[in-house]
Amino acid sequence: MFCIAKTSSCFPVSPAAVQSRKPAAGGEIPDPQILALRQFIEMTGRRILGVTFSSFFSFKFFFGVAAFGHGNISPLIYQWTLDKWRFQLIINACQDKRFYLFREDSMAATLKDVAKLAEVDIGSVSRTLGNHPRAQKLRPETRQRILEAAHKLGYRRNQFAAAMRTGVNAAVAIINSGDYSIGHGQSATHVLYGILDAAGASNYALKTYTDSDLSACMEDILSSQIKNVISMSTKNARREETAVLCRQYGLNLVFVYETGHGEFPAVASSNYENSRDVVKYLASMGHRRIALVCGEYQFWHYMTEKYNGYLAGLRESGIEPEFSLMICEADITAKVHEMLDRPPETRPTAFFCIGDGMAMRVQRMAVRKGLRVPEDVSTTGFGYAEGENALSPLTSVNEMYERLGDSAFKLLIQGRLDFPQEPDGTYRIPGELVKRESVAKLN
């Protein structure tokens, strides 16, 4: 591709020189093209315009230009067949009306140029700029020198060409839950923020799907030449199907939430430890009748982990678990009403809820019954963000959702994380108990 633009390193050409050149033997300069070029030069002033002569010209285009040679201007005639090549003439009209010819594709920096400036081999440049895991084997100062050289030269990596050459697209497919309440909930939103930040820092693109039709989803992933997948599905059957498909097609896969599947790891919250610590905190505040507000835990790993953590927290605090204080149903309303209607000597003084939404419901129900929050009914939750707006600002576990997303992306690309992996293939992210006003001190 040839361009005309203002640059000190190129051959200067004046409009007059272009108009006065005589064609070489064997062809003539087509008058319409010269007239068009002259017209653009005269009309554009100091603006930059792009003029494209496309392949619809079936004849040969002879373009006469001038180049410096030992102080003298000598004509150079370039012959091109426009039914095979497309040219773009970028016309920059300067004050002195001088124009410059250069080969545009020869001016773009290449991997070889970056390697020469950084004084490394081309392979090191390619791996560093492509964020290949093997680039981490280079010294940090070497990687930094490569990045600085690329920036200085204005190098731009052609992602499409790289995908065509290697068969790998520098993109990550995210499969979110097709259940609207889950896929658009607080947890999923913040996990996506974490993935987005990590991908942006590593120059990766993201393509999102839902698990509503995993077969169609996988077809698109394969046709896009994407090799890396993050699954945010929460239903075990969908997670298993995703694992089967990724195994079949040789894709890299990391799960967020729950546990790993076979050789595919997961990143999840430390549900057991977080729950145990919340119950121990309630006990330290003098609470002995601590109710559990859960769901049908047998269908979800994270609920089972919180359930077991609740039991562990009670036992470590010297409290015997009472099944009459446990709600493990899809609809908690009736059981919560029943507990709140008990006389003070048997009514729970605190409700350990596995989510902020549940804890806020308990607060509202208690207030409607004339109970004081937190003096009569203390509450805790999980999620952290929503609890600020509760009737009594909610003591809650910050489950570090954004760190979940960030860690899932790094595990997918780098193949490891800097903390232990459990036997089931899960990496656990510790949470933080945020203490607010919803827990009363009874002793």
Side-chain angles (χ1 to χ4, degrees), residues 59-76:
F59 50 81
K60 292 182 179 180
F61 176 37
F62 297 87
F63 185 40
V65 297
F68 277 133
H70 303 291
N72 299 317
I73 296 178
S74 59
L76 296 177

Side-chain angles (χ1 to χ4, degrees), residues 1-4 10 80 85-88 90 101-111 113 155 158:
M1 182 177 292
F2 277 85
C3 295
I4 292 181
C10 302
W80 299 92
W85 296 91
R86 176 173 297 195
F87 296 91
Q88 185 175 15
I90 308 297
L101 175 73
F102 66 93
R103 181 73 180 270
E104 184 175 317
D105 54 6
S106 69
M107 297 296 290
T110 65
L111 287 176
D113 297 328
Y155 176 80
N158 188 327

Side-chain angles (χ1 to χ4, degrees), residues 364-422:
R364 291 193 296 269
M365 293 168 70
V367 169
R368 291 191 186 108
K369 293 179 179 293
L371 299 173
R372 298 171 300 164
V373 177
E375 292 83 357
D376 298 322
V377 177
S378 293
T379 49
T380 64
F382 279 76
Y384 166 65
E386 293 181 2
E388 189 77 52
N389 300 317
L391 295 176
S392 176
L394 193 60
T395 294
S396 178
V397 175
N398 180 357
E399 297 185 87
M400 307 296 185
Y401 294 132
E402 293 189 24
R403 189 181 174 196
L404 284 179
D406 176 87
S407 298
F409 179 87
K410 290 178 178 176
L411 175 60
L412 181 68
I413 302 304
Q414 300 173 7
R416 61 182 178 82
L417 292 174
D418 295 328
F419 45 91
Q421 184 180 22
E422 295 184 349

Side-chain angles (χ1 to χ4, degrees), residues 29-272:
I29 300 176
D31 289 339
Q33 274 65 30
I34 290 299
L35 291 175
L37 180 60
R38 183 192 308 164
Q39 184 179 11
F40 273 112
I41 291 172
E42 294 173 350
M43 292 177 60
T44 55
R46 295 185 181 133
R47 292 177 296 164
I48 299 176
L49 292 181
V51 186
T52 303
F53 296 98
S54 300
S55 60
F56 63 82
F57 292 109
S58 60
F59 50 81
K60 292 182 179 180
F61 176 37
F62 297 87
F63 185 40
V65 297
F68 277 133
H70 303 291
N72 299 317
I73 296 178
S74 59
L76 296 177
I77 305 299
Y78 294 91
Q79 178 176 324
W80 299 92
T81 304
L82 284 184
D83 56 3
K84 294 182 179 179
W85 296 91
R86 176 173 297 195
F87 296 91
Q88 185 175 15
L89 300 179
I90 308 297
I91 301 177
N92 181 5
C94 308
Q95 276 188 322
D96 60 357
K97 296 294 181 73
R98 298 182 70 183
F99 296 80
Y100 302 87
L101 175 73
F102 66 93
R103 181 73 180 270
E104 184 175 317
D105 54 6
S106 69
M107 297 296 290
T110 65
L111 287 176
K112 185 176 180 180
D113 297 328
V114 177
K116 183 177 180 180
L117 182 60
E119 299 180 338
V120 296
D121 60 279
I122 294 178
S124 296
V125 174
S126 178
R127 289 188 288 272
T128 299
L129 299 182
N131 294 296
H132 193 280
R134 287 175 58 192
Q136 299 302 314
K137 296 181 179 180
L138 297 173
R139 291 184 301 173
E141 55 268 29
T142 301
R143 296 198 303 271
Q144 184 61 32
R145 193 165 71 248
I146 292 171
L147 294 174
E148 290 175 354
H151 178 74
K152 183 176 181 179
L153 293 173
Y155 176 80
R156 296 291 183 272
R157 190 167 185 262
N158 188 327
Q159 300 283 7
F160 178 76
M164 293 296 293
R165 182 176 65 253
T166 64
V168 178
N169 192 347
V172 170
I174 302 174
I175 304 177
N176 199 0
S177 172
D179 185 323
Y180 186 89
S181 62
I182 297 174
H184 292 74
Q186 175 197 172
S187 170
T189 300
H190 285 277
V191 168
L192 286 170
Y193 285 155
I195 296 173
L196 182 63
D197 286 345
S202 300
N203 295 320
Y204 270 76
L206 301 175
K207 194 167 185 179
T208 59
Y209 305 85
T210 68
D211 60 11
S212 302
D213 186 345
L214 284 172
S215 295
C217 165
M218 194 58 60
E219 284 297 324
D220 192 81
I221 289 172
L222 293 171
S223 64
S224 299
Q225 295 183 310
I226 296 175
K227 298 295 184 182
N228 298 302
V229 180
I230 295 176
S231 170
M232 296 171 57
S233 299
T234 54
K235 294 182 178 178
N236 190 62
R238 298 286 172 82
R239 295 163 67 85
E240 286 285 3
E241 185 180 354
T242 302
V244 169
L245 290 169
C246 286
R247 188 177 297 116
Q248 177 181 347
Y249 294 112
L251 305 182
N252 302 318
L253 171 63
V254 168
F255 290 100
V256 179
Y257 312 129
E258 301 290 86
T259 62
H261 290 259
E263 70 275 29
F264 300 121
V267 179
S269 299
S270 299
N271 296 305
Y272 176 89

Side-chain angles (χ1 to χ4, degrees), residues 299-311:
F299 299 117
W300 308 90
H301 285 286
Y302 82 95
M303 286 191 186
T304 302
E305 292 160 4
K306 290 181 178 180
Y307 172 81
N308 289 330
Y310 162 80
L311 295 178

